[in-house]
Amino acid sequence: MVNDFQRGSLSTRLGIPMIYGTDAVHGNGNTYKATIFPHNVGLGATRQVVGCAKHYVGDGGTTNGINANNTVISRHGLLSIHMPPYYHSIIKGVATVMVSYSSWNGIKMHTSHDLITGFLKNTLRFRGFVISDWSALDVITTPPGANYSHSIEVAINAGIDMVMTPFNYTRFIDGITPLVKKNVIPMSRIDDAVRRILRVKFVMGLFQNPLADHSMAKYLGIQKHRELAREAVRKSLVLLKNGKSADKPLLPLPKKASKILVAGSHADNHGYQCGGWTINWQGFSGNNFTSVGEHPYAESLGDKLNLKIREPGPGTITNVCGAVKCIVIIISGRPLVIQPYLSTIDALAAAWLPGTEGQGVAKVLFGHYGFTRKLPRTWFKTLDQLPMNVGDPHYDPLFPFGFGLTTKPSKTN
C-alpha cells in the first residue's frame, strides 16, 4: 500500500518522495507477526524507526488525567516536569515532534507560538519537523471546525510544519492557499516548514531509497526480536508483595512444581496483554491476530474515573486466593484498585501491558531471573486519593513511587 502511494508521489513534477508515518508505539503494531514490546508504562519501570517525540507538551499532566484536557501548571513546572524528555530526545537526534491536543493553562498547544517556535525550535534548536496530531486543527475551535481558516492560520504560524488531515486534505489546501497569498501566513513560514520536512527526508535516505524493501518482511517476529522483547518484559516487572510475611517468600516458584493453576481472563489472551495500539487503534481480544486486569484501550476511550479491576478479575482473585496459595499478576496500563484484595493475595506483581512475549513473565516467576525493578508511578490505596503525587501533603500510597521488592535468581530449584 505504502509503495503504491510512493510511486504516485514519485510520478509528480518534482518527484519528491512521500514520508509515511504509522503509530508504532510499542513495536510495529500494525503489522501481522511483528513482535510487540511492553507499553511505555512498563518500559518506565526498567529505568533504562525516524522516531517521533510526543505529545508536546504536558499531556501527561492534564486535569484529572483526562485525554486532551488542560494542564494547569506554572512555566517553571512545565519546563522542569514535562519538558525533560524532549531535551533528551532532541539530543539523541529525534527527527519529528508531535504536538498535543491538550492545552497549557487554557491555551491550545497547537496554537502556542511560544512553546513550538520560541522554545522547541529556537531555544532547544530542534531541526526536525513539527507535526500536528490526528485532525487536531479541527478541534482548536469549539465546536470543532467552526472556523477552519482561523485554525490553519494560528497553527501554522505557531510553528506546525506538517498537518495530519485524515479525511479531507483538499479542504486544508483550499484553506491555506489564500492565507499564504494574502501573507497572513508568511512565505518564510512555509519555507521553514518545507526545509524541515525535506531535511528529514534526506536524512532518512528517502531520495535514494524511496520504496519499502519487501525482503525485510522475513525479519518480522524473528527470535532475536522476541528475545529482546522478553528481556524488556523481565525488566519491567515490579514485585509488590512476596508472601504473607517477609520471612516466608513465595517467589521464586520451584521449577519442578507438580501442579499450577493458571486462572484469569488475561492469562492466555495476547490482545489483552498487548493493550491498545496493537493491530487496531483500541487493540483487540484473543490470540488470532499477532501469532487479570484491564481490557485494551487508547486515548480518550481509556479515560476512567473508576479504576477498579473488571469482573471476572475480582471474583477470580477471591475464589482462587481463598483456596490455594496465589500469585496475582496485574495486566494493566496503570495502577488499579487492589487494596481490598491484598490481604488474601500471597504474592503480587505488576506486569503492565507486556506485549506478545509473556514468557518473560514466567521466566522471572520461576527464578530464571530476579525481580529487580521499581514502580514508575505511585500506586494509590483508594480512588478518593487521586490525584496523588510524591510531595503532596496527603501522600499516603499503597505502594510509593520507586517501590519494588527484589528476588535473586534461583539456581537449583
Side-chain angles (χ1 to χ4, degrees):
M1 180 193 73
V2 178
N3 278 349
D4 285 345
F5 289 160
Q6 191 66 283
R7 292 185 185 99
S9 296
L10 297 174
S11 68
T12 60
R13 179 175 63 89
L14 296 177
I16 297 174
M18 171 201 71
I19 184 171
Y20 184 88
T22 183
D23 287 297
V25 298
H26 61 144
N28 198 353
N30 294 324
T31 307
Y32 294 106
K33 298 184 180 180
T35 303
I36 305 301
F37 285 73
H39 270 278
N40 281 336
V41 65
L43 295 180
T46 69
R47 301 297 202 270
Q48 297 291 327
V49 282
V50 174
C52 180
K54 62 183 187 178
H55 298 87
Y56 185 86
V57 57
D59 67 327
T62 58
T63 302
N64 294 327
I66 301 298
N67 184 52
N69 208 344
N70 186 31
T71 298
V72 180
I73 194 171
S74 68
R75 187 178 186 88
H76 173 74
L78 186 77
L79 299 186
S80 62
I81 295 174
H82 299 285
M83 196 65 77
Y86 296 93
Y87 307 151
H88 297 303
S89 297
I90 291 168
I91 290 170
K92 295 290 186 181
V94 72
T96 66
V97 171
M98 186 181 293
V99 180
S100 177
Y101 288 120
S102 61
S103 304
W104 174 45
N105 295 335
I107 305 298
K108 290 276 190 179
M109 276 304 311
H110 278 78
T111 71
S112 179
H113 182 276
D114 171 27
L115 289 174
I116 299 173
T117 296
F119 197 83
L120 179 63
K121 292 183 174 181
N122 294 341
T123 301
L124 297 185
R125 303 188 64 80
F126 173 61
R127 293 293 177 258
F129 68 80
V130 178
I131 185 169
S132 80
D133 208 330
W134 190 89
S135 201
L137 269 62
D138 291 86
V139 295
I140 288 176
T141 58
T142 303
N147 190 338
Y148 194 58
S149 177
H150 170 73
S151 297
I152 294 173
E153 175 191 338
V154 294
I156 302 302
N157 282 336
I160 304 290
D161 301 309
M162 183 182 284
V163 177
M164 257 203 276
T165 54
F167 301 119
N168 193 346
Y169 70 92
T170 57
R171 176 178 173 231
F172 174 77
I173 294 173
D174 292 343
I176 194 172
T177 301
L179 293 173
V180 176
K181 287 182 176 179
K182 295 174 183 177
N183 203 38
V184 176
I185 297 175
M187 184 56 71
S188 60
R189 175 74 270 274
I190 302 301
D191 289 342
D192 174 59
V194 172
R195 186 181 300 114
R196 289 169 176 274
I197 294 168
L198 288 176
R199 181 185 293 132
V200 171
K201 290 181 178 181
F202 276 114
V203 170
M204 284 181 68
L206 271 180
F207 284 86
Q208 293 80 17
N209 300 292
L211 298 175
D213 183 356
H214 286 280
S215 70
M216 299 299 288
K218 65 187 178 186
Y219 295 108
L220 286 168
I222 63 172
Q223 189 64 24
K224 182 179 180 181
H225 295 172
R226 293 189 179 278
E227 289 174 356
L228 181 63
R230 287 173 191 171
E231 178 184 353
V233 172
R234 297 195 304 265
K235 292 182 176 180
S236 66
L237 298 173
V238 180
L239 183 60
L240 302 174
K241 182 179 181 180
N242 189 14
K244 292 290 180 71
S245 61
D247 59 337
K248 293 183 179 180
L250 184 58
L251 297 172
L253 292 172
K255 296 183 178 71
K256 296 180 180 179
S258 58
K259 269 186 186 178
I260 293 179
L261 169 66
V262 180
S265 58
H266 290 52
D268 186 27
N269 192 308
H270 268 157
Y272 287 173
Q273 293 174 22
C274 288
W277 299 111
T278 310
I279 303 299
N280 301 310
W281 173 38
Q282 294 292 328
F284 65 96
S285 170
N287 297 319
N288 297 325
F289 287 96
T290 60
S291 23
V292 195
E294 289 191 291
H295 292 188
Y297 60 86
E299 299 192 34
S300 296
L301 294 182
D303 289 341
K304 291 173 62 178
L305 296 178
N306 182 358
L307 297 177
K308 295 182 179 180
I309 299 174
R310 295 174 57 171
E311 288 290 357
T316 303
I317 293 174
T318 301
N319 292 334
V320 175
C321 296
V324 295
K325 287 186 177 180
C326 71
I327 303 159
V328 173
I329 309 296
I330 299 181
I331 306 293
S332 69
R334 53 202 164 187
L336 300 174
V337 175
I338 194 67
Q339 187 185 33
Y341 321 107
L342 194 57
S343 62
T344 64
I345 294 170
D346 292 279
L348 174 68
W352 314 110
L353 299 170
T356 56
E357 304 312 304
Q359 187 175 345
V361 176
K363 288 291 187 180
V364 179
L365 292 176
F366 284 93
H368 296 272
Y369 303 88
F371 282 95
T372 61
R373 304 301 158 162
K374 308 299 180 183
L375 282 178
R377 61 180 304 137
T378 296
W379 203 296
F380 57 88
K381 290 179 181 176
T382 59
L383 292 173
D384 57 11
Q385 291 182 304
L386 299 178
M388 179 174 62
N389 294 290
V390 174
D392 289 348
H394 66 291
Y395 193 74
D396 182 29
L398 184 62
F399 303 108
F401 171 83
F403 177 84
L405 303 174
T406 61
T407 61
K408 294 185 181 299
S410 172
K411 297 178 180 179
T412 57
N413 71 346

